[in-house]
C-alpha cells in the first residue's frame, strides 16, 4: 500500500569551517502548534515578497541557485581548450538544432544562449569584430591543427542572424509566447557589429579553412565549409528580404542555396561528434530574467533538418508575393501560402507581412489607394468613374467631380485600416487568425453602415458625371456597399471553415455548422450573381454611351477591366456555388448519420442544445445582416423531421455531385483565370482544388455506402413487420442493423481540413 505522503527528504549535508548547523525542525513544529487557526506571525522586515520567495528556496524547479552536493555555481567549461574537428562539427550541428528550436517558439534562454561558446563571444561586450572572440586576453598563436576560428566565425554569424530576425519580428504583428519569444535577456547579440564585418569574418574563416585543407580530413573540411556557407547565405537572405522592388529571382537565390546546403549537411552529420558539456542551463543564472530555470530544448538533428528544409522552401516561396498582378491574386497567394501543412514558421510569416506593409507602401511599389481602387474595380465596379484621378485636380467645391473625389477619399480613409488589418490577420497562425476574424467581422459590419452613408452622397454627383451611361431605370447600384458586404460574407465563411480545420466543432455539431456554411455561401453566390448581371448591363450601356455596336469592342483599357472583372466574378460564383453545394451535401450526410445512430452525441450534463447553438453563433450574433436563424429554425433545418432518410441521402448525393462538377471545372482553369501570381502559386491553387475534389469523391462513396446499408436494413425491418416514420426511424435501432463503423478523420487525416468527410466501413 502506498503511503499517503512521500517520506521526508534527508537533511542537507552542510559542512564548512566556521559553520555550525542546528536542526530546528522539532522546535519549529512545537511553536506552530501555539498559533490559532488563521493567525500569522509577521515581521516588518520580512514582507509577502520575501515569504513567497522563501517557498522557492532549494526547489530546483524554481530556485536557479539550488546546487547538488559538490556542484559549482558557474559553468567551468574552458572555451580555449583544444577541440577535434569532429567535435567542432558536433557543436555546430547542436547549435543548428537550438537555432531551429528558437524559430519554433522556444526562448533564447533554453536554446542558443545555453551554448558556452555563444556566451563567451558576448561576455564581455565586444566593441569591434576583432573583439568577437572566446577570450579577451591577448591571443596566443593558434595551435597547429586547431579549427576554433571556424567555430568562432559560425557563432558570430549565428548571433548576428538571431539579432536581425529578432528585430524583424518586433516590427510586425506577432504574439509573444504563442508564436515567438523576442526576449534577449539583455544580451547584445552583436547588434552593434556591422553586417559586412560579420560576413567578412565568415568568408575569411572559409578561406582559411580551404588553405588548411591538407591538415585535416577532407570530408570534415567540406562539412565545416558547408556550414559556414549556410551562415553566409542566411545573412544574405535576411539582407535581401528588405528589398521589395526587385521582382527577379535574385532575392530567392540565398534561400535556394540554403536548401541545397541543408541536404549536404544532413548527409555529413554522421561525421560529427557531440560535445554535450559545451551546453549548460547554468548560463541561465547570468541572464536578466525573472523566470525560474527551464531545461534546454532538445531537438533531434533529424527534426531540425526537416524543419530547415521546409523553412528554406517557404522562404523562397514567400518572395513570389512581389510578383503582384491584382488584389485577388494577392489574396489567393496569402490564403494558400498560409494553408500549407505544417504552416510556415513565424519568421517566414513576418517576412510576408514586411513585404506587404513596410512603411505603409504595399509590396514596395503601390499606395494603399492603388490597392483599394484596384480591388473594388476588379470585384464590383470595372471602369467606374469613382477612380478617375483627374477628379483630384478639381478644386471647385460645387463641381460634381470634386464631390466624387472627396467622398472617395473619405471612403478610402475609412476602409484602409480594416482592409490592411484583414491581410495582416491572414498572416497569423490559424488559431489566432480565426479568433481575430470573430472580432473583425463586427468592425466590417459597422464599416458597411458608414460606407452606405458615403455612397448616398455619391449618387447625385455620379449621375451628373456619367450622364446616364451607367444608370437606367433600375434602383441605383451601390458597388462600394456590395464590396464591403461580399468581403464580410467571405470572412464569416472563413471563421466557420477554420472551425472545421481546428476541430472547434464536435462530430454531432458538424451537420449544423455545414448547414450554416451553406447559408453563408448561398448568400454570397446570390449577391455575386447580382453584381455579375449589373456588370454586364454596365458594359452594354458603356458601349451605347460610346455609340458602339454590340459586336464592337470597347477601348483596350476598358475592355481589359471588364474582362478581368467578369473572370473574377465567374471564379467567385464558382467558388461560392461549390462551397454551397458541398456544405449542403455534408450537412445532409451528417444529419443521416445522427438520425441512424451511427454518430452519437457525447453526454453533456451541463449543456443543452440551445446553449451550444448560442455558443457557436456568438461570433455572428452582433452582425446586423445576414440575420441568424433562431434556434428552432436551426434545429428544424438540422433535423429535417419531415424528410425521409432515403430522400435525405438522395439530396445529399445530388449536392455532392454538383460540387464535384464545380471543382472539376476549377481544376482546368488557367493561371490567369484562377488569379494566381505565378506558376508555383497556380500549382498550389490547383492542388487545393484537387484536395476538395477528392473530398467530394470520398463523400459520394460514403453516401452510397450508407444508402446501400440502409436499404438492406430496411428490407430486414420490413421482413419483421416493423414500420418507420417520416424521418426513417420508427423506433428501430438502425445502428446495429446497418453493420457500419463511422470514423471522423482527425486534422490532417482527410483530403482537406475544411471538408470533414466521415469514413464508413463494414464491421463484418
Amino acid at each position: 500500500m502506498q503511503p499517503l505522503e512521500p517520506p521526508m527528504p534527508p537533511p542537507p549535508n552542510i559542512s564548512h569551517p566556521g559553520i555550525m548547523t542546528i536542526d530546528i525542525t522539532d522546535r519549529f513544529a512545537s511553536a506552530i502548534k501555539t498559533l490559532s487557526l488563521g493567525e500569522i506571525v509577521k515581521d516588518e522586515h520580512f514582507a509577502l515578497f520575501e515569504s513567497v520567495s522563501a517557498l522557492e528556496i532549494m526547489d530546483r524547479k524554481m530556485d536557479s541557485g539550488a546546487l547538488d552536493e559538490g556542484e559549482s555555481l558557474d559553468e567551468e567549461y574552458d572555451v580555449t581548450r583544444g577541440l577535434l574537428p569532429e567535435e567542432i562539427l558536433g557543436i555546430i550541428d547542436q547549435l543548428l538544432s537550438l537555432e531551429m528550436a528558437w524559430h519554433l517558439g522556444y526562448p533564447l534562454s533554453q536554446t542558443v544562449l545555453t551554448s558556452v561558446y555563444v556566451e563567451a563571444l558576448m561576455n564581455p561586450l565586444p566593441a569591434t569584430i576583432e573583439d568577437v572572440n572566446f577570450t579577451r586576453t591577448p591571443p596566443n598563436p593558434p595551435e597547429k591543427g586547431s579549427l576554433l576560428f571556424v567555430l568562432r566565425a559560425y557563432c558570430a554569424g549565428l548571433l548576428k542572424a538571431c539579432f536581425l530576425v529578432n528585430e524583424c519580428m518586433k516590427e510586425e504583428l506577432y504574439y509573444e509566447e504563442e508564436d515567438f519569444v523576442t526576449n534577449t535577456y539583455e544580451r547584445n547579440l552583436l547588434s552593434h557589429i556591422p553586417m559586412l564585418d560579420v560576413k567578412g569574418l565568415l568568408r575569411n574563416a572559409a578561406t582559411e579553412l580551404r588553405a588548411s585543407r591538407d591538415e585535416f580530413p577532407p570530408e570534415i573540411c567540406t562539412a565545416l565549409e558547408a556550414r559556414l556557407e549556410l551562415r553566409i547565405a542566411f545573412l544574405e537572405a535576411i539582407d535581401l528580404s528588405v528589398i521589395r522592388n526587385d521582382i527577379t529571382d535574385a532575392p530567392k537565390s540565398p534561400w535556394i542555396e540554403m536548401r541545397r546546403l541543408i541536404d549536404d549537411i544532413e548527409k555529413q552529420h554522421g561525421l560529427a561528434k557531440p560535445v554535450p558539456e559545451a551546453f549548460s542551463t547554468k548560463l541561465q543564472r547570468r541572464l536578466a530574467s525573472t523566470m525560474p530555470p527551464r531545461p534546454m530544448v532538445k531537438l533531434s538533428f533529424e527534426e531540425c533538418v526537416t524543419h530547415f528544409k521546409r523553412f528554406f522552401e517557404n522562404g523562397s516561396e514567400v518572395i513570389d508575393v512581389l510578383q503582384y498582378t491584382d488584389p485577388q491574386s494577392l489574396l489567393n497567394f496569402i490564403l494558400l501560402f498560409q494553408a500549407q501543412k505544417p504552416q510556415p514558421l513565424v519568421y517566414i510569416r513576418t517576412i510576408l507581412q514586411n513585404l506587404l506593409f513596410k512603411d505603409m507602401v504595399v509590396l514596395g511599389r503601390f499606395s494603399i489607394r492603388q490597392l483599394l481602387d484596384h480591388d473594388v474595380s476588379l470585384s464590383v465596379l470595372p471602369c467606374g468613374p469613382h477612380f478617375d484621378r483627374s477628379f483630384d485636380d478639381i478644386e471647385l467645391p460645387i463641381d460634381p467631380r470634386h464631390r466624387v473625389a472627396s467622398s472617395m477619399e473619405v471612403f478610402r480613409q475609412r476602409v484602409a485600416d480594416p482592409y490592411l488589418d484583414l491581410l495582416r490577420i491572414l498572416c497569423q497562425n490559424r488559431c489566432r487568425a480565426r479568433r481575430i476574424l470573430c472580432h473583425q467581422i463586427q468592425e466590417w459590419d459597422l464599416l458597411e453602415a458608414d460606407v452606405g452613408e458615403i455612397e448616398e452622397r455619391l449618387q447625385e454627383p455620379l449621375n451628373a458625371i456619367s450622364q446616364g451611361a451607367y444608370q437606367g431605370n433600375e434602383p441605383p447600384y451601390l458597388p462600394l456597399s456590395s464590396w464591403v458586404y461580399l468581403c464580410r460574407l467571405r470572412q464569416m465563411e472563413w471563421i466557420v471553415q477554420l472551425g472545421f480545420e481546428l476541430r472547434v466543432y464536435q462530430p454531432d455539431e458538424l451537420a449544423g455548422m455545414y448547414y450554416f456554411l451553406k447559408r453563408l455561401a448561398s448568400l454570397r453566390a446570390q449577391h455575386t450573381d447580382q453584381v455579375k448581371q449589373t456588370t454586364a448591363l454596365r458594359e452594354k450601356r458603356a458601349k451605347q454611351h460610346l455609340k458602339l455596336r454590340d459586336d464592337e469592342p470597347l477601348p483596350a483599357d476598358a475592355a481589359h477591366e471588364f474582362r478581368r472583372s467578369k473572370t473574377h466574378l465567374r471564379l467567385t460564383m464558382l467558388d461560392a456555388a461549390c462551397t454551397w453545394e458541398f456544405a449542403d451535401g455534408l450537412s445532409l450526410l451528417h444529419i443521416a448519420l445522427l438520425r441512424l445512430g451511427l454518430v452519437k452525441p457525447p453526454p453533456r450534463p451541463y449543456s443543452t442544445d440551445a446553449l451550444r447553438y448560442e455558443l457557436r453563433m456568438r461570433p455572428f450574433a452582433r452582425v446586423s445582416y445576414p440575420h441568424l436563424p433562431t434556434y428552432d429554425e436551426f434545429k428544424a433545418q438540422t433535423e429535417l423531421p419531415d424528410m425521409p432518410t432515403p430522400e435525405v441521402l438522395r439530396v445529399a448525393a445530388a449536392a455532392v455531385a454538383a460540387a464535384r462538377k464545380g471543382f472539376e471545372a476549377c481544376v482546368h482553369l488557367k493561371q490567369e483565370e484562377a488569379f494566381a501570381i505565378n506558376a508555383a502559386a497556380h500549382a498550389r491553387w490547383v492542388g487545393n482544388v484537387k484536395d476538395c475534389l477528392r473530398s467530394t469523391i470520398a463523400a459520394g462513396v460514403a453516401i452510397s455506402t450508407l444508402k446501400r446499408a440502409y436499404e438492406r436494413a430496411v428490407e430486414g425491418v420490413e421482413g419483421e413487420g416493423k414500420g418507420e416514420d417520416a424521418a426513417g426511424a420508427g423506433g428501430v435501432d438502425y445502428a446495429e442493423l446497418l453493420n457500419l463503423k463511422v470514423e471522423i478523420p482527425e486534422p490532417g487525416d482527410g483530403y482537406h481540413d475544411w471538408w470533414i468527410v466521415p469514413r464508413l466501413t463494414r464491421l463484418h
Side-chain angles (χ1 to χ4, degrees):
M1 183 176 178
Q2 293 290 336
L4 296 178
E5 295 183 0
M8 294 289 292
N13 182 18
I14 301 176
S15 58
H16 192 277
I19 293 181
M20 179 182 297
T21 60
I22 301 174
D23 188 353
I24 63 167
T25 304
D26 294 337
R27 292 161 61 183
F28 186 72
S30 300
I32 289 175
K33 294 177 182 178
T34 64
L35 298 176
S36 303
L37 183 64
E39 188 177 357
I40 184 173
V41 176
K42 182 178 181 300
D43 186 274
E44 60 181 5
H45 301 295
F46 197 79
L48 177 62
F49 179 80
E50 286 79 8
S51 302
V52 175
S53 300
L55 299 176
E56 303 173 0
I57 295 175
M58 301 309 292
D59 181 354
R60 296 189 64 85
K61 293 181 179 179
M62 301 297 292
D63 185 0
S64 60
L67 303 176
D68 291 331
E69 183 69 23
E71 183 184 3
S72 63
L73 182 64
D74 291 324
E75 182 56 50
E76 297 177 349
Y77 182 89
D78 182 10
V79 293
T80 61
R81 62 178 258 191
L83 291 172
L84 297 173
E86 296 84 354
E87 292 178 324
I88 291 179
L89 195 62
I91 292 173
I92 290 177
D93 283 358
Q94 180 64 25
L95 286 171
L96 262 177
S97 298
L98 293 173
E99 181 185 9
M100 177 45 64
W102 181 56
H103 281 289
L104 291 173
Y106 293 96
L108 284 170
S109 62
Q110 293 178 257
T111 54
V112 175
L113 296 185
T114 60
S115 169
V116 177
Y117 288 97
V118 168
E119 175 68 14
L121 280 187
M122 295 185 292
N123 191 18
L125 182 66
T128 63
I129 192 66
E130 289 76 17
D131 295 334
V132 179
N133 214 323
F134 298 132
T135 177
R136 298 297 185 270
T137 58
N140 296 321
E143 298 180 11
K144 189 175 182 180
S146 173
L147 290 176
L148 273 179
F149 67 90
V150 175
L151 182 58
R152 172 201 173 208
Y154 184 89
C155 291
L158 171 62
L159 284 172
K160 191 64 180 179
C162 289
F163 167 74
L164 294 171
V165 169
N166 216 47
E167 291 302 303
C168 180
M169 291 296 307
K170 290 189 287 188
E171 290 178 1
E172 303 298 341
L173 179 63
Y174 76 100
Y175 289 88
E176 187 84 23
E177 304 293 348
E178 182 177 309
D179 287 322
F180 196 80
V181 181
T182 56
N183 190 355
T184 61
Y185 307 95
E186 295 190 5
R187 285 294 183 263
N188 183 265
L189 303 182
L190 305 187
S191 60
H192 60 292
I193 304 296
M195 168 86 86
L196 290 177
D197 290 352
V198 177
K199 288 183 183 177
L201 180 64
L202 285 162
R203 292 193 176 100
N204 292 339
T207 303
E208 190 175 346
L209 180 62
R210 295 189 199 101
S212 56
R213 185 176 283 268
D214 296 338
E215 303 175 22
F216 306 100
E219 62 275 10
I220 296 292
C221 292
T222 302
L224 290 173
E225 187 176 348
R227 285 149 178 80
L228 290 174
E229 290 176 357
L230 182 73
R231 285 265 66 95
I232 296 172
F234 197 12
L235 292 176
E236 290 283 355
I238 296 173
D239 217 10
L240 291 174
S241 65
V242 300
I243 302 176
R244 301 189 295 162
N245 55 3
D246 187 354
I247 60 175
T248 67
D249 288 340
K252 301 171 67 171
S253 57
W255 297 100
I256 297 171
E257 175 69 9
M258 286 188 287
R259 181 60 182 86
R260 181 189 65 80
L261 288 170
I262 200 66
D263 286 334
D264 297 336
I265 290 172
E266 182 181 19
K267 298 173 185 175
Q268 299 158 351
H269 178 63
L271 304 172
K273 180 181 179 181
V275 187
E277 60 270 21
F279 301 87
S280 174
T281 55
K282 288 185 179 182
L283 299 177
Q284 294 179 3
R285 297 167 182 164
R286 303 180 184 177
L287 303 178
S289 173
T290 58
M291 295 295 293
R294 292 288 185 267
M296 183 172 61
V297 178
K298 295 182 180 179
L299 191 69
S300 71
F301 194 75
E302 291 73 19
E303 292 178 286
C304 163
V305 168
T306 301
H307 285 300
F308 265 121
K309 286 180 180 179
R310 185 166 48 83
F311 183 66
F312 297 148
E313 289 169 359
N314 291 337
S316 174
E317 292 167 355
V318 77
I319 306 298
D320 290 339
V321 74
L322 295 175
Q323 300 178 28
Y324 171 91
T325 54
D326 54 70
Q328 184 59 41
S329 301
L330 176 64
L331 180 62
N332 285 341
F333 178 89
I334 296 173
L335 288 172
L336 294 173
F337 184 77
Q338 288 291 90
Q340 296 180 84
K341 297 297 177 184
Q343 193 177 14
L345 292 179
V346 61
Y347 176 57
I348 301 298
R349 305 200 306 266
T350 302
I351 291 177
L352 178 57
Q353 291 186 63
N354 194 280
L355 293 173
L356 286 171
F357 310 117
K358 186 175 176 62
D359 300 327
M360 297 302 289
V361 179
V362 179
L363 300 170
R365 292 174 289 156
F366 305 102
S367 66
I368 298 174
R369 171 177 179 168
Q370 288 175 294
L371 185 67
L372 280 172
D373 287 359
H374 197 174
D375 198 339
V376 177
S377 172
L378 180 69
S379 301
V380 295
L381 193 62
C383 294
H386 306 60
F387 316 119
D388 193 330
R389 284 185 173 268
S390 65
F391 293 178
D392 298 343
D393 301 329
I394 307 300
E395 299 181 358
L396 187 63
I398 61 173
D399 192 302
R401 293 170 295 176
H402 174 82
R403 293 167 61 187
V404 169
S406 59
S407 295
M408 284 301 297
E409 187 59 29
V410 173
F411 165 77
R412 295 185 191 101
Q413 291 176 359
R414 179 65 181 88
V415 169
D417 285 342
Y419 184 77
L420 294 181
D421 285 345
L422 175 60
L423 297 179
R424 197 180 291 275
I425 288 167
L426 296 176
C427 295
Q428 305 306 308
N429 67 69
R430 309 296 272 177
C431 297
R432 178 60 64 172
R434 183 181 186 274
R435 182 176 180 179
I436 305 179
L437 281 173
C438 292
H439 301 285
Q440 184 78 355
I441 58 171
Q442 299 175 24
E443 172 67 21
W444 279 76
D445 190 47
L446 298 174
L447 177 64
E448 188 174 348
D450 294 344
V451 169
E453 296 178 2
I454 296 171
E455 207 151 35
E456 286 181 7
R457 297 198 296 267
L458 277 168
Q459 294 306 309
E460 182 182 345
L462 282 174
N463 289 336
I465 291 170
S466 61
Q467 299 177 1
Y470 297 101
Q471 298 292 337
N473 297 324
E474 300 85 4
Y477 178 47
L478 304 176
L480 304 183
S481 298
S482 293
W483 178 78
V484 175
Y485 176 62
L486 288 172
C487 287
R488 182 162 56 80
L489 280 178
R490 189 79 185 275
Q491 293 173 58
M492 294 173 73
E493 288 182 46
W494 288 336
I495 291 172
V496 179
Q497 290 169 324
L498 285 171
F500 296 127
E501 178 180 334
L502 299 171
R503 292 303 185 264
V504 173
Y505 313 122
Q506 297 297 311
D508 61 304
E509 297 176 307
L510 296 177
M513 296 314 298
Y514 275 120
Y515 159 71
F516 185 64
L517 177 61
K518 181 197 78 169
R519 281 175 58 101
L520 295 175
S522 64
L523 289 171
R524 183 160 65 99
Q526 292 165 11
H527 198 80
T528 303
D529 186 55
Q530 295 174 11
V531 174
K532 184 179 178 181
Q533 294 176 14
T534 304
T535 300
L537 186 61
R538 290 182 64 250
E539 184 180 22
K540 180 179 179 181
R541 286 182 177 155
K543 289 184 177 182
Q544 294 173 354
H545 184 68
L546 296 174
K547 299 180 180 180
L548 297 173
R549 295 192 306 271
D550 290 343
D551 57 341
E552 288 184 292
L554 288 167
D557 292 344
H560 176 74
E561 280 196 46
F562 274 108
R563 183 174 65 254
R564 289 298 287 166
S565 180
K566 289 190 291 185
T567 303
H568 172 263
L569 291 169
R570 175 174 178 263
L571 180 64
T572 303
M573 278 291 297
L574 199 54
D575 174 70
C578 290
T579 303
W580 176 2
E581 295 288 0
F582 199 14
D584 189 25
L586 285 180
S587 175
L588 293 170
L589 173 57
H590 285 284
I591 287 173
L593 293 175
L594 283 168
R595 180 182 291 182
L596 298 174
L598 293 174
V599 172
K600 298 181 179 179
R604 297 186 178 103
Y606 303 107
S607 172
T608 64
D609 292 343
L611 288 175
R612 201 160 52 256
Y613 168 76
E614 180 183 348
L615 176 66
R616 297 308 181 205
M617 296 296 115
R618 185 172 297 169
F620 318 104
R622 296 185 181 180
V623 174
S624 58
Y625 188 82
H627 303 296
L628 291 180
T630 65
Y631 171 67
D632 291 335
E633 295 171 345
F634 181 81
K635 184 177 180 181
Q637 290 296 325
T638 54
E639 291 183 357
L640 300 177
D642 298 329
M643 184 181 290
T645 302
E647 182 66 11
V648 170
L649 294 176
R650 186 193 66 78
V651 176
V656 170
R660 180 176 175 178
K661 289 181 180 178
F663 286 127
E664 287 174 346
C666 288
V667 168
H668 297 97
L669 292 180
K670 298 178 182 178
Q671 177 180 322
E672 186 181 43
E673 296 172 325
F675 287 85
I677 283 179
N678 56 14
H682 182 243
R684 193 181 298 125
W685 186 87
V686 171
N688 181 72
V689 175
K690 286 183 176 179
D691 288 341
C692 295
L693 180 59
R694 294 186 186 100
S695 296
T696 61
I697 295 172
V701 172
I703 292 171
S704 62
T705 301
L706 182 59
K707 184 178 180 181
R708 288 194 301 269
Y710 179 76
E711 289 172 351
R712 288 194 300 267
V714 169
E715 290 176 1
V717 170
E718 291 177 348
E720 297 177 5
K722 298 180 181 179
E724 59 176 329
D725 57 16
V732 179
D733 184 7
Y734 280 97
E736 294 184 5
L737 296 175
L738 291 171
N739 192 33
L740 290 176
K741 174 186 176 183
V742 177
E743 180 184 356
I744 304 297
E746 292 297 319
D749 292 342
Y751 292 112
H752 197 289
D753 286 342
W754 286 3
W755 304 112
I756 303 177
V757 180
R759 300 191 185 103
L760 276 65
T761 55
R762 296 190 65 176
L763 292 174
H764 51 267

